[in-house]
Structure formats: structure tokens, C-alpha cells
Amino acid sequence: MSETASPRRILLVDCDAFYVQVARLEDPEGAGKAELLIVGGSATGRGVVTSASYAARAYGVRSAMPTAKALRLCPEATVVPVPRGVIVERSRSVRAVLEELSPVVQAASIDEFYLDLTGTERLFAPETLTDSAWRIRRTVLDRTEISVSLGGGTRRVIAKLATTAAKPAGVHIVAPGKEEDFLRTLDLADLPGVGPSLVEALAKKGLVRVEDALEVQAEWLQRWFGQRRGAWLHKRIRGVDSSEVDPHESRKSISSERTFFADINDDEELELRLLKQAGSVAATMRRKALRARTVTVKLRDHDFNTRQHSRTLPEPIESDAAIYEVAKQLLAELRADRSVPSRLLGVGLTGLVSVTDAPQLGLFEDEVAGETERERQVSRTVDELRGRFGGDAVVPGRLVDSMRRRRGGGNERVDG
């Protein structure tokens, strides 16, 4: 972008407490009447919080918190399961409306959408960006019943930070040239990508507010935190972000997590659960015509200690068999490190690439990263059968006995 070009006009649309809103819309007589509402887990305290109403958050309830802890903080809260299918439907309906209102829309997550209104100044004149944001908010609410907050600015990172200032149900726009003034009002912990360990390291240097760090030269940050991390931090503190709003940006990850009703300490049982989850994320990935380079397995122990191992392969894979084989090895490594009862198991796929961009195999027996074309064909055939006859039409042999026994249970989330 040249120096004479108009400033970018970027908005981030964030669905306020999205899972809470959807739960209330789907059950107006139950969840809809509960001011103190927790979505995720169960009333017995198993599982983790996916979202909580703003009233419940005032008690200290946060997402990813064990539901048992959330209920200790807010014992009067109503706990409801995640409304899985309708979450996706509501998200799609919000995006459909946004695509009518903005020339460029990118889904950042199931409840966040970036809009790029750059070049629409004449089209929407005499509307300011603030006016446009309020109009978009009203239209989304009227058409979908979902309340959103909007942040805006000349860069994506500024829009994201501004959205936090807009919540709930508001609009906050950072005018061009006012980015530094806005950033000076924030803590370093507020910046995307600046996690707890980095916040702690910065605090040891006497840096807590963005305003403190703005005076530090890039060379010192690189000396303290390494060349790449220091350079990145120097830009992040100043809100430097050249990334575009890209409606075609490929999905970054697909994952599944399952919190068990009862802790599991049996390796064979954990492998069976892993087999089902690996097949679930693999099928989701294939529906999007993607393959994965990296497989991650996550365990949360009975004492809430969370651990994970990942493996990146030389070539991307897609079949149930290959993904499960890698995941099983990672699970074995985690269990070898610490063999204690587990309350949560997760499988994630990252490094996603389009099937058209991945290497093509010529023969059924040729292998790429340990996966044959025959295994890929088998997985695709199973997908077709399940699509025609239901999810249980084809089940791995090892899972048949497990399905009959119905041992345990849990709350599963698949992001894809």
C-alpha cells in the first residue's frame, strides 16, 4: 500500500458470549431464563467450561476452566451442554449476513469475522466507519438474533483489540493515526500472542503496560528474548500488522477434545477413545479436501495437569489409519512420561494443506509419510458410506465391543 493510499478500514465482528446466546435461543424456557449460565461440562462438575454468561463471569468463571471449579465460584449457576449442531448453523447465518454487508469477509473462528471495508468510503458515504459498524451490528441482530460487538481500525490487530473495548454489544473504532494512543491504554497481557510466560518475563524487566515497553529499543528486546521473538514483540507492541483480510485463508487447525465422565487410567481404553477421535477429525478434514502435516495429542490428567506431544511429518496425510498410528505413538509417549488417570483426551491436526497442493501418488502401494493411497481410498469410501447410511454404518472392529459396553462417556467438541 502506497503512502498516499487511503487507510485500511478493517472491522472485527465478535459474537458476544456466542455459545451462551445460542443455548438461550434454543432453550428459551430453560437456559433462556438463567442469568447465571455456564455452557459446557455437566451439573455434576465434570468437563470444562466452553462459555459463560457475563453475570457468571463476574464470579470469576472463565472458558476452559473445569466446570467443578466454576460451580464452586458460582454455585447458583445453571449448567447446560454445548448446543453443537446449531452453533455451526448460527455461525453460518451470521456470516451469510456479513457477506451481504461487506465485500470481504474472513472467518477467524466460529464466532469471529474480519471485514475489510477499504474502498467503500464513497459507496457508504456519508457514513463513517463507526456508523457502518453500528449498522452492521443492528442488521446482524435483526436477521439472526445474535448480538455482536465490533472493533475497527487500520490493522487487524488493532481491530481485534478494539473489539475487547467494545464488549458487550458495542462498537469501538480506533481512528487512523490514533493507534499508539489506544495501545498506551493497554497492558502487555492484552496483546494477542503475548502469553502468561512472556508477560511474567516482561514484568521481571519492569514492563507491564504497553506504554512501558514502547520506550524499549528493538535491540534490547532481541537480546532479552531472542532475535525472532524480540523483533516480533517490538512490532506487536506498536500494533504493526500487515496481514490482509483473506476470505480464502485456509483453516489452521481441526481438533477434537473429550472430557470423560470418569477418569481413565487404562491404556487400551484410552487407545479406543483415541481411535474414535482420530477418525472424527480425519473425516472432518477430508470433507474440506485437506491433509495434515502435524498431529497433536493432548492429555489432561486427573489433577488438571495438561500435557501434549506433536509430530510433524515430511508429507501431509489424510487417512484414518495413518493419523491414528501417529496419534497412538504420541499417546504412548505421554503415558510413558506420566501414567496417571486422565480426565480429557484431545487430538488435533495442523499444517493443513489442500489436497490439490499435496503430492499425488501413482500406485496403491506407494507410501507418503507412511500412508498408502489404498488407505486414503478406504477412508474416502467409508466417508461415502457413512454419508449415505449414517455415522455408525462402518465402525472399526476395535470399537464394536466398546460401543456395546458403553463404558464411560463425555463431552466432545470438534472444531472444523
Side-chain angles (χ1 to χ4, degrees), residues 216-287:
V216 180
Q217 295 179 347
E219 290 78 6
W220 280 105
L221 293 173
Q222 291 173 322
R223 183 177 299 182
W224 291 338
F225 304 111
Q227 194 78 15
R228 290 183 61 185
R229 197 180 193 193
W232 173 86
L233 184 58
H234 187 261
K235 292 180 179 179
R236 179 63 80 196
I237 290 165
R238 287 156 180 78
V240 175
D241 180 12
S242 60
S243 60
E244 302 290 336
V245 178
D246 181 4
H248 306 296
E249 183 179 59
S250 60
R251 190 164 190 86
K252 296 180 180 179
S253 66
I254 297 172
S255 62
S256 166
E257 291 185 0
R258 185 176 184 84
T259 301
F260 310 125
F261 285 130
D263 297 339
I264 298 176
N265 196 29
D266 181 77
D267 288 336
E268 184 177 357
E269 182 65 21
L270 284 171
E271 285 185 7
L272 287 171
R273 304 296 181 109
L274 183 70
L275 177 60
K276 184 175 182 180
Q277 286 180 259
S280 174
V281 294
T284 299
M285 179 179 66
R286 288 191 297 271
R287 284 198 299 271

Side-chain angles (χ1 to χ4, degrees), residues 43-79:
T44 63
R46 299 298 298 181
V48 295
V49 175
T50 299
S51 185
S53 64
Y54 288 105
R57 295 180 193 187
Y59 287 80
V61 178
R62 296 289 183 269
S63 61
M65 174 183 288
T67 307
K69 180 178 180 180
L71 287 172
R72 288 196 295 271
L73 293 172
C74 189
E76 301 302 317
T78 298
V79 181

Side-chain angles (χ1 to χ4, degrees), residues 51-359:
S51 185
S53 64
Y54 288 105
R57 295 180 193 187
Y59 287 80
V61 178
R62 296 289 183 269
S63 61
M65 174 183 288
T67 307
K69 180 178 180 180
L71 287 172
R72 288 196 295 271
L73 293 172
C74 189
E76 301 302 317
T78 298
V79 181
V80 298
V82 177
R84 304 187 190 289
V86 291
I87 285 288
V88 175
E89 293 174 10
R90 294 278 182 173
S91 175
R92 288 173 177 166
S93 68
V94 170
R95 177 165 185 161
V97 173
L98 295 175
E99 288 177 340
E100 296 178 15
L101 302 173
S102 172
V104 183
V105 178
Q106 177 186 336
S109 67
I110 201 164
D111 59 353
E112 290 184 322
F113 305 88
Y114 281 103
L115 314 182
D116 193 342
L117 299 181
T118 305
T120 63
E121 294 88 340
R122 291 185 179 180
L123 178 64
F124 296 141
E127 261 189 3
T128 64
L129 187 58
T130 300
D131 296 333
S132 296
W134 279 112
R135 173 174 55 82
I136 291 168
R137 194 195 114 67
R138 289 191 300 269
T139 305
V140 170
L141 182 60
D142 290 344
R143 298 267 297 276
T144 69
E145 300 183 278
I146 296 297
S147 172
V148 299
S149 296
L150 290 94
T154 57
R155 309 162 198 162
R156 282 177 34 142
V157 68
I158 296 296
K160 184 171 182 63
L161 290 166
T163 305
T164 302
K167 283 181 169 290
V171 167
H172 188 93
I173 305 298
V174 179
K178 298 296 183 181
E179 292 86 359
E180 185 173 315
D181 292 342
F182 172 65
L183 289 166
R184 285 181 181 274
T185 67
L186 306 176
D187 289 336
L188 290 166
D190 297 327
L191 301 180
V194 180
S197 60
L198 183 52
V199 168
E200 183 178 352
L202 287 163
K204 290 179 180 178
K205 303 292 184 183
L207 307 176
V208 177
R209 306 276 295 169
V210 170
E211 190 168 25
D212 303 330
L214 280 170
E215 309 305 321
V216 180
Q217 295 179 347
E219 290 78 6
W220 280 105
L221 293 173
Q222 291 173 322
R223 183 177 299 182
W224 291 338
F225 304 111
Q227 194 78 15
R228 290 183 61 185
R229 197 180 193 193
W232 173 86
L233 184 58
H234 187 261
K235 292 180 179 179
R236 179 63 80 196
I237 290 165
R238 287 156 180 78
V240 175
D241 180 12
S242 60
S243 60
E244 302 290 336
V245 178
D246 181 4
H248 306 296
E249 183 179 59
S250 60
R251 190 164 190 86
K252 296 180 180 179
S253 66
I254 297 172
S255 62
S256 166
E257 291 185 0
R258 185 176 184 84
T259 301
F260 310 125
F261 285 130
D263 297 339
I264 298 176
N265 196 29
D266 181 77
D267 288 336
E268 184 177 357
E269 182 65 21
L270 284 171
E271 285 185 7
L272 287 171
R273 304 296 181 109
L274 183 70
L275 177 60
K276 184 175 182 180
Q277 286 180 259
S280 174
V281 294
T284 299
M285 179 179 66
R286 288 191 297 271
R287 284 198 299 271
K288 300 176 182 297
L290 297 172
R291 292 177 186 162
R293 292 182 183 275
T294 301
V295 180
T296 300
V297 172
K298 172 180 174 182
L299 275 181
R300 179 167 296 139
D301 299 332
H302 67 100
D303 56 3
F304 292 97
N305 180 39
T306 302
R307 304 173 290 132
Q308 66 180 41
H309 278 187
S310 299
R311 182 165 302 159
T312 298
L313 304 165
E315 300 292 348
I317 57 177
E318 69 171 67
S319 69
D320 292 1
I323 290 169
Y324 172 64
E325 185 60 32
V326 175
K328 185 172 67 171
Q329 294 172 14
L330 295 172
L331 175 63
E333 293 171 6
L334 288 166
R335 294 285 290 170
D337 291 342
R338 190 173 191 240
S339 184
V340 297
S342 300
R343 61 180 289 113
L344 177 146
L345 175 65
V347 183
L349 304 177
T350 53
L352 303 180
V353 298
S354 170
V355 168
T356 58
D357 296 332

